[in-house]
Amino acid sequence: MTDNQKEPGYAAALDTAARLLGRRLEPFLEPGPGEPANAADFTRLATLHTFGDAWPRTDVLDTRTRALISVTIAATLGTLEPLRGQLRIALGNGVTPQEIVEAFIHIEAYAGAARAFDGYQIARQVFQEIHAAEQPR
């Protein structure tokens, strides 16, 4: 455990991320070969801000609403890998596939068809993955 992971706020942020994502973030946060030492500062700060400051603010916007907003932001920005995670968070927190499709209809109207179709391909993959996981074996 690094000194950063001993920091109470950081530990809470990591726990929030794990709850939302269904897996621990730590393996993805360790600096890789060739990364400078301050890479750990970037991942710590991003984790603290996202999962320690923003997501826990459920007094006005609940987690379900934040998840749908996050899907919309990721799709609109065209950040497709983060969109995959945001879709899983949304579906895991009560957002329905139908609501996600409606969000993409709205994204298409305001951000354009090409951007919406790119993002929807990721949504389609996530829907298929979840459907396959739910099928009896």
Coordinates of all heavy atoms in Angstrom, one line a residue, residues 1-17 24 26 44 47-49 51-53 56:
M1 N 0.9 -1.2 0.0 CA 0.0 0.0 0.0 C 0.9 1.2 0.0 O 1.8 1.4 0.8 CB -0.9 0.0 1.2 CG -1.8 1.2 1.4 SD -2.9 1.1 2.8 CE -4.1 0.0 2.1
T2 N 0.6 2.1 -0.9 CA 1.4 3.4 -1.0 C 0.9 4.4 0.0 O -0.1 4.2 0.6 CB 1.3 4.0 -2.4 OG1 -0.1 4.4 -2.6 CG2 1.6 3.0 -3.5
D3 N 1.8 5.4 0.2 CA 1.4 6.4 1.2 C 0.1 7.1 0.8 O -0.8 7.4 1.6 CB 2.5 7.5 1.3 CG 3.7 7.0 2.1 OD1 3.5 6.0 2.8 OD2 4.8 7.5 1.9
N4 N -0.1 7.3 -0.6 CA -1.4 7.9 -1.1 C -2.6 7.1 -0.7 O -3.7 7.6 -0.4 CB -1.3 8.1 -2.6 CG -0.4 9.2 -3.0 OD1 -0.1 10.1 -2.2 ND2 0.1 9.1 -4.2
Q5 N -2.5 5.7 -0.7 CA -3.6 4.9 -0.4 C -4.0 4.9 1.1 O -5.0 4.5 1.4 CB -3.3 3.5 -0.9 CG -3.3 3.4 -2.4 CD -2.8 2.0 -2.9 OE1 -2.0 1.4 -2.3 NE2 -3.4 1.6 -4.0
K6 N -3.0 5.4 1.9 CA -3.3 5.5 3.3 C -4.1 6.7 3.7 O -4.7 6.8 4.7 CB -2.0 5.5 4.1 CG -1.2 4.1 4.0 CD 0.1 4.2 4.7 CE 0.9 2.9 4.5 NZ 2.2 3.0 5.0
E7 N -4.1 7.7 2.8 CA -4.8 8.9 2.9 C -6.3 8.6 3.0 O -6.9 8.0 2.1 CB -4.5 9.8 1.8 CG -5.2 11.2 1.8 CD -4.9 12.0 0.6 OE1 -3.9 11.7 -0.1 OE2 -5.7 12.9 0.3
P8 N -7.0 9.0 4.1 CA -8.4 8.6 4.3 C -9.3 9.0 3.1 O -10.2 8.2 2.7 CB -8.9 9.3 5.6 CG -7.6 9.6 6.3 CD -6.5 9.8 5.2
G9 N -9.2 10.2 2.6 CA -10.0 10.7 1.5 C -9.8 9.9 0.2 O -10.7 9.6 -0.5
Y10 N -8.6 9.5 0.0 CA -8.2 8.7 -1.2 C -8.8 7.3 -1.0 O -9.3 6.7 -2.0 CB -6.7 8.7 -1.4 CG -6.3 8.0 -2.7 CD1 -6.7 8.6 -3.9 CD2 -5.4 6.9 -2.7 CE1 -6.2 8.0 -5.1 CE2 -5.0 6.3 -3.9 CZ -5.4 6.9 -5.1 OH -5.0 6.3 -6.2
A11 N -8.7 6.7 0.1 CA -9.2 5.4 0.4 C -10.7 5.4 0.2 O -11.3 4.5 -0.4 CB -8.9 4.9 1.8
A12 N -11.4 6.4 0.7 CA -12.9 6.5 0.5 C -13.2 6.7 -1.0 O -14.2 6.1 -1.5 CB -13.4 7.7 1.3
A13 N -12.4 7.4 -1.7 CA -12.6 7.6 -3.2 C -12.5 6.3 -3.9 O -13.3 5.9 -4.8 CB -11.7 8.7 -3.8
L14 N -11.4 5.5 -3.5 CA -11.2 4.2 -4.2 C -12.4 3.3 -3.8 O -12.8 2.5 -4.7 CB -9.9 3.6 -3.7 CG -8.7 4.3 -4.3 CD1 -7.4 3.8 -3.5 CD2 -8.5 4.1 -5.8
D15 N -12.9 3.3 -2.6 CA -14.1 2.5 -2.3 C -15.3 2.9 -3.1 O -16.1 2.0 -3.5 CB -14.3 2.6 -0.8 CG -13.3 1.9 0.1 OD1 -12.5 1.1 -0.5 OD2 -13.3 2.2 1.3
T16 N -15.5 4.2 -3.3 CA -16.6 4.7 -4.1 C -16.5 4.2 -5.5 O -17.5 3.7 -6.1 CB -16.8 6.2 -4.0 OG1 -17.0 6.6 -2.7 CG2 -17.9 6.7 -5.0
A17 N -15.3 4.3 -6.1 CA -15.1 3.8 -7.4 C -15.3 2.3 -7.5 O -16.0 1.9 -8.5 CB -13.6 4.1 -7.8
R24 N -12.0 -3.0 -8.3 CA -11.1 -2.1 -7.7 C -10.3 -1.3 -8.8 O -10.0 -1.9 -9.9 CB -10.1 -2.8 -6.8 CG -10.7 -3.5 -5.6 CD -11.4 -2.7 -4.6 NE -10.6 -1.6 -4.0 CZ -11.0 -0.8 -3.1 NH1 -12.3 -0.8 -2.7 NH2 -10.2 0.1 -2.6
E26 N -7.3 0.2 -8.2 CA -5.9 0.2 -7.9 C -5.0 -0.4 -9.0 O -3.9 0.2 -9.4 CB -5.6 -0.4 -6.6 CG -6.0 0.4 -5.4 CD -7.4 0.1 -5.0 OE1 -8.2 -0.4 -5.8 OE2 -7.8 0.4 -3.8
R44 N -4.0 10.0 -8.6 CA -4.6 10.3 -7.3 C -5.5 11.5 -7.3 O -6.6 11.4 -6.8 CB -3.4 10.5 -6.3 CG -3.9 10.7 -4.8 CD -2.8 11.0 -3.9 NE -2.0 12.1 -4.3 CZ -2.3 13.4 -4.1 NH1 -3.4 13.7 -3.5 NH2 -1.5 14.4 -4.4
T47 N -8.7 10.7 -9.2 CA -9.5 9.7 -8.5 C -10.2 10.5 -7.3 O -11.4 10.3 -7.0 CB -8.7 8.6 -7.9 OG1 -8.1 7.9 -9.1 CG2 -9.5 7.6 -7.1
L48 N -9.4 11.3 -6.6 CA -10.0 12.0 -5.5 C -11.1 13.0 -5.9 O -12.2 13.0 -5.3 CB -8.9 12.9 -4.8 CG -8.1 12.2 -3.7 CD1 -6.9 13.1 -3.3 CD2 -9.0 12.0 -2.5
H49 N -10.9 13.7 -7.0 CA -11.9 14.6 -7.4 C -13.1 13.9 -8.0 O -14.3 14.3 -7.6 CB -11.3 15.6 -8.5 CG -12.3 16.6 -9.0 ND1 -12.7 17.6 -8.2 CD2 -12.9 16.7 -10.1 CE1 -13.6 18.3 -8.8 NE2 -13.8 17.8 -10.0
F51 N -14.2 10.5 -7.7 CA -14.9 9.5 -6.9 C -14.9 10.0 -5.4 O -15.6 9.4 -4.6 CB -14.2 8.2 -7.0 CG -14.4 7.6 -8.4 CD1 -13.3 7.5 -9.3 CD2 -15.6 7.1 -8.8 CE1 -13.5 7.0 -10.5 CE2 -15.8 6.6 -10.1 CZ -14.7 6.6 -10.9
G52 N -14.1 11.0 -5.0 CA -14.1 11.5 -3.7 C -15.0 12.7 -3.5 O -15.6 12.9 -2.4
D53 N -15.0 13.6 -4.5 CA -15.7 14.8 -4.4 C -17.0 14.8 -5.2 O -18.0 15.2 -4.6 CB -14.8 16.0 -5.0 CG -13.6 16.2 -4.1 OD1 -13.6 15.9 -2.9 OD2 -12.6 16.7 -4.7
P56 N -19.9 11.3 -4.7 CA -20.6 11.2 -3.4 C -21.6 12.3 -3.1 O -22.4 12.2 -2.1 CB -19.5 11.2 -2.3 CG -18.3 10.8 -3.1 CD -18.5 11.3 -4.4

